[in-house]
Amino acid sequence: MNIKNIITEIEKFDPEVYDRLDSRRTAMQQFAFWGGRLALAAVPFALGGMFKKAYGQSAGSGITAVLNYALTLEYLEAEFYTKGAASGVVPAGTPAVGAINTIRDHENAHVVFLKNTLNAMGTTPVSKPTFDFTAGGAFPDIFTNYDTFLAVAQAFEDTGVRAYKGRAGELISNHAVLTAALQIHSVEARHASHIRQMRKARGANVKPWITGKDTGGIGAAVQANYNGEELTTQAGVDITKFVSANAASESFDEPLTADQVLAIVKPFIV
Amino acid sequence: MENSHPVLPPTGNNEDLLPGKFGRRKFISYCGLVASGVTIAACKKDKDNDNMPPAGSIDLGSGDIGILNYAYALEQLEAAFYIQVIASPYAGITANELALLTDIRDHEVAHREFFKTALGVKAITNLEVNFSAVNFGSRDSVLGTAKAFEDLGVSAYNGAGQLITDPGYLLLAGKIVSVEARHAAYIRDLISNGSFADSTAINASGLDLVNKPADVLTAAKPFLKSVLYAGNLPTV
């Protein structure tokens, strides 16, 4: 790989590349620093980081856009669990009732928190869409069949984790918002872990973490939610050198872009 | 540099992290962000990088490398713990518990080796651990320690995000923290089913634990023979 050529190529399309990289000298110094000190496998990653710094999205409107995106997903989850808890689909008298209520309360708290944050930043929060949790008939028994309910819950939680992860970088300039987003992100992961255990208790072949791009027996309807999770190379480091391929994929959760997430949730929005 | 900053919202599991609590104006002004709303990464300045670690201590370093070494230190601790858990399983362990705790061991080893490889010559040395307070034959002792480590790990990554300047590193931290959160929820459910995200971890706004490096390292200290020096880590 010839780094100088790459930068020269970019210069053809973007004459200001060196300015964006601070200066040619700084850019090359940065590269020399990383190239000299990181393991060779990590070099493409370091270079990517350098370019991301130069071309990374600026803050301002980007932050509120991410918050409104997050709010839309939280509206979806909050209404899903609120309706689910009220529907009687969760077997009465079991620990599942408490668990679903806990998750419901968190998702509703996230809605309030994100709306308050947007208001505090001087931006009007997006309105709640109208949801169809049957996804146009794909899940007709969503609030009458407990297994269907848990399957969709799992897909929502795992996808929520991926959605926050995919856009955290756009919040990097705002410490408080980034930190809060990370605090929501890990709550969604805790939910996902528990929902997966609830499904396992119902006989599903599933673990608290995501193996490869396995849907945990839910199938094609949610495959897009899991595609990409099978990655076993991180920042140029082959994780299968250290652990099995399954463990390598499980040990890192993968992001989804906004477009991928919006395509996934689109059937649920009327 | 940081002495000139207004007081930041306190870290920890509280509701004081966002502007609503102390007004948009003050929020924008902290970190020296300009009032036009254009933000600059200016407040991610490192501390002076010349603080001398005490003799015999391990300097985590400065900047993003310091944060990666901080994460590497925590992953070393977790990996060493679960390696011991699997080497001498507690009395009465079920086959399912053994299988999933083995998974967790492998995940922590993967994290540890990832950081070691990515950091290359910038990596800190192998840490010496001290698990004398853990009774590995006791389910309560092992799971109680595991819960403490997993919750601590979640809070550490959540607190470290804002100290990272490179979005690529931030994404990597994000890829790992959600796996730690999955672990934390599972371990908590093993101790008490339904406690995966109870009010000891999640506050009234639905936000998870967050801790700054100094507090995380204080909590980790009793489990380490090696002495870590965090004096050159970036601060907000």
Side-chain angles (χ1 to χ4, degrees), chain A residues 38 59 110 117 183 194 207 251, chain B residues 18 39 103 111 118 189 206 208:
Chain A
L38 284 183
H110 294 163
T117 303
Q183 289 176 271
H194 188 78
K207 301 195 283 193
S251 55
Chain B
L18 271 197
T39 54
D103 275 6
H111 296 162
D189 281 338
D208 209 326

Side-chain angles (χ1 to χ4, degrees), chain A:
Chain A
M1 180 172 64
N2 187 327
I3 304 305
K4 262 183 89 173
N5 283 355
I6 292 173
I7 295 180
T8 305
E9 283 301 308
I10 291 171
E11 198 178 13
K12 288 177 189 165
F13 303 98
D14 181 2
E16 290 167 10
V17 58
Y18 292 122
D19 290 337
R20 293 182 201 280
L21 293 164
D22 296 344
S23 71
R24 181 184 184 125
R25 208 165 66 93
T26 315
M28 295 319 286
Q29 277 173 345
Q30 267 186 302
F31 178 70
F33 173 85
W34 287 107
R37 285 169 173 77
L38 284 183
L40 192 60
V43 167
F45 173 63
L47 186 69
M50 190 168 82
F51 287 143
K52 273 181 197 155
K53 268 187 193 165
Y55 294 94
Q57 198 172 343
S58 58
S61 61
I63 287 174
T64 53
V66 175
L67 290 173
N68 267 324
Y69 167 77
L71 176 58
T72 303
L73 298 176
E74 296 292 349
Y75 278 138
L76 174 78
E77 290 187 305
E79 186 165 307
F80 173 72
Y81 288 108
T82 300
K83 283 194 166 167
S87 70
V89 70
V90 183
T94 69
V97 174
I100 295 300
N101 288 348
T102 295
I103 296 175
R104 174 200 62 194
D105 292 347
H106 290 161
E107 309 300 5
N108 280 290
H110 294 163
V111 167
V112 171
F113 180 84
L114 291 169
K115 286 170 90 168
N116 287 346
T117 303
L118 281 158
N119 283 324
M121 296 179 85
T123 299
T124 305
V126 290
S127 305
K128 187 172 70 146
T130 302
F131 296 114
D132 166 19
F133 293 106
T134 74
F139 305 106
D141 54 357
I142 183 71
F143 293 127
T144 53
N145 182 322
Y146 183 44
D147 292 311
T148 304
F149 176 75
L150 288 182
V152 172
Q154 179 193 305
F156 280 167
E157 297 294 348
D158 283 333
T159 302
V161 172
R162 301 187 73 180
Y164 276 94
K165 206 186 314 292
R167 300 198 74 179
E170 295 174 57
L171 306 176
I172 200 164
S173 65
N174 189 319
H175 291 177
V177 171
L178 171 64
T179 302
L182 290 173
Q183 289 176 271
I184 296 176
H185 168 250
S186 59
V187 171
E188 304 295 348
R190 287 178 190 262
H191 293 171
S193 177
H194 188 78
I195 294 282
R196 296 169 76 91
Q197 286 293 95
M198 292 171 82
R199 290 194 65 240
K200 181 181 172 64
R202 299 279 298 173
N205 183 17
V206 65
K207 301 195 283 193
W209 24 90
I210 301 166
T211 308
K213 56 180 178 182
D214 182 43
T215 65
I218 303 173
V222 299
Q223 189 57 61
N225 304 51
Y226 293 92
N227 286 342
E229 283 285 4
E230 69 275 20
L231 201 63
T232 57
T233 297
Q234 301 293 340
V237 179
D238 177 4
I239 307 299
T240 63
K241 285 192 297 185
F242 317 122
V243 295
S244 71
N246 279 352
S249 78
E250 291 164 355
S251 55
F252 292 80
D253 280 339
E254 300 303 322
L256 286 173
T257 66
D259 285 348
Q260 289 170 322
V261 171
L262 293 174
I264 286 167
V265 301
K266 197 177 173 196
F268 294 95
I269 296 176
V270 176

